[in-house]
Amino acid sequence: MDRKPQPLRETHVLLGHGSGGKMSAELVQSVFLPAFANPTPAALNDQAVITLEGARLAFTTDSFVVSPPFFPGGDIGHLAVNGTVNDLVMGGARPCCLSASFIIEEGFPVADLRRVVQSMAAAAEEAGVQIVTGDTKVVERGAADGLYITTAGVGVIPAGRELGPDRVRPGDVILCSGSIGDHGVAVMALRSGLDFGVPIESDTAALGSLVEAMLAAGGAAIHAMRDPTRGGVAASLNEWAQAAGVQILLEEAAVPVREEVRAVCELLGLDPLNVANEGKLLAAVAPEAADAVLSAMRAHPLGRQAAAVGEVRAGNAGTVFIRTQVGGTRPVEYPSGEQLPRIC
């Protein structure tokens, strides 16, 4: 994306400003970056890397407003823990602790709140982190749509690990850990009352153990990782292409998409590349290590469907294209407008 502050065209915040796509980037660039002017937020990574008394730490924060709060394959609590853990591990960190703050609407069932909190505890235990602090606020009926959760996380980055979108290089192979669009489609199908006879479940999962297996296999040859959440694969790859000044070419036939997910996307007029994921990752890997990293991914339960889906090229800096199954190419644009609001 263009990282220079740009004037915001809209005079009021719209739902599209929370889509994770072009409008979200414009809001960040025009409102937040000028106010918080320092190199850490300007990097626009999912985590900040800070050095404190000789230790390199990753720090991240996120808010979760998914509607409905319970969906096939997960819930807002499970999602909050996994999403925060994943933002840390995409920077190479080993997560250690989280905070959790709750904004609860008056009248929200205590049984549902207990269910969410227990889900968070289970997800944290599975991810190997602790929830060590938090806050609770209650607002009037109609002011919060049930429940919102804000989390923050801290992790330690081992010496020698350097990951980031600006490190993506021509020749890198783009790896994807599995089928895309599962989370967004699971939520949208539930909202729309769609039933295809085959359950579509969110892919929400903590990716720390998968990342460690990949780094053990590829080490410094892994240049960048990203979990393609809001804005999906399209947003993540466009961010990489623009940050590194490269072109990325995807192969449509290689991108894993479940048939039921593809069917829902066609019905709703969505591109699976734009749909949110909560348990998948993308990696840019030097070509000499790509096969070893891909094998390590496929040996892990969270990467069994992993595939090499594209490559990084020089020229046409900041662009992403996809070679279609009929042999042509088309641009993969940075998602714009209102895509899938309230998806995470």
Side-chain angles (χ1 to χ4, degrees):
M1 72 185 71
D2 183 357
R3 296 177 179 232
K4 296 180 181 179
Q6 301 290 329
L8 196 64
R9 293 169 294 177
E10 297 80 15
T11 58
H12 294 76
V13 175
L14 305 175
L15 273 177
H17 286 119
S19 67
K22 186 175 182 180
M23 290 181 67
S24 295
E26 291 173 348
L27 184 69
V28 169
Q29 292 162 3
S30 64
V31 176
F32 297 106
L33 288 185
F36 306 142
N38 71 74
T40 301
L44 294 176
N45 293 330
D46 283 340
Q47 70 295 124
V49 177
I50 55 179
T51 301
L52 185 62
E53 296 185 357
R56 293 177 67 232
L57 303 177
F59 176 55
T60 190
T61 187
D62 208 344
S63 296
F64 296 85
V65 297
V66 61
S67 176
F70 301 98
F71 46 83
D75 58 66
I76 190 173
H78 198 260
L79 188 65
V81 170
N82 291 339
T84 305
V85 166
N86 290 344
D87 282 350
L88 293 172
V89 301
M90 292 303 110
R94 291 174 177 159
C96 59
C97 55
L98 308 180
S99 70
S101 295
F102 301 83
I103 298 177
I104 310 166
E105 182 182 349
E106 178 187 13
F108 190 77
V110 172
D112 285 351
L113 180 61
R114 183 173 286 112
R115 178 181 169 189
V116 167
V117 171
Q118 290 173 343
S119 180
M120 292 181 74
E125 182 177 5
E126 184 176 358
V129 299
Q130 292 185 320
I131 299 173
V132 296
T133 189
D135 184 48
T136 303
K137 296 291 190 297
V138 177
V139 297
E140 298 85 352
R141 291 178 184 267
D145 194 18
L147 177 68
Y148 301 151
I149 301 175
T150 296
T151 50
V154 176
V156 178
I157 303 176
R161 289 190 181 178
E162 297 286 348
L163 298 167
D166 59 331
R167 297 176 61 82
V168 176
R169 297 288 182 266
D172 282 357
V173 179
I174 303 298
L175 304 180
C176 178
S177 65
S179 58
I180 65 169
D182 294 358
H183 172 73
V185 164
V187 175
M188 289 303 294
L190 179 62
R191 284 185 196 165
S192 304
L194 300 175
D195 184 359
F196 288 84
V198 178
I200 301 175
E201 294 189 350
S202 169
D203 60 346
T204 175
L207 298 171
S209 59
L210 174 60
V211 167
E212 290 295 328
M214 294 170 62
L215 288 167
I222 301 177
H223 295 152
M225 288 190 287
R226 176 66 61 89
D227 57 329
T229 54
R230 289 181 307 161
V233 169
S236 294
L237 293 185
N238 271 277
E239 288 174 3
W240 282 2
Q242 294 176 24
V246 297
Q247 181 189 82
I248 296 175
L249 177 65
L250 289 176
E251 297 289 345
E252 184 178 48
V255 178
V257 184
R258 299 181 193 277
E259 286 305 314
E260 55 269 29
V261 169
R262 195 184 304 277
V264 173
C265 286
E266 290 177 356
L267 184 64
L268 298 178
L270 301 172
D271 185 339
L273 294 173
N274 294 345
V275 179
N277 310 269
E278 292 293 344
K280 301 297 189 306
L281 65 80
L282 300 168
V285 184
E288 64 271 15
D291 287 344
V293 174
L294 183 59
S295 294
M297 295 170 75
R298 289 174 172 170
H300 190 281
L302 295 175
R304 288 172 180 157
Q305 294 180 308
V309 298
E311 63 177 341
V312 180
R313 295 180 168 188
N316 292 322
T319 59
V320 181
F321 287 85
I322 187 166
R323 183 181 287 119
T324 67
Q325 297 192 52
V326 296
T329 59
R330 64 173 177 86
V332 177
E333 303 286 355
Y334 205 99
S336 62
E338 179 183 330
Q339 292 289 321
L340 301 173
R342 307 289 304 283
I343 211 74
C344 61

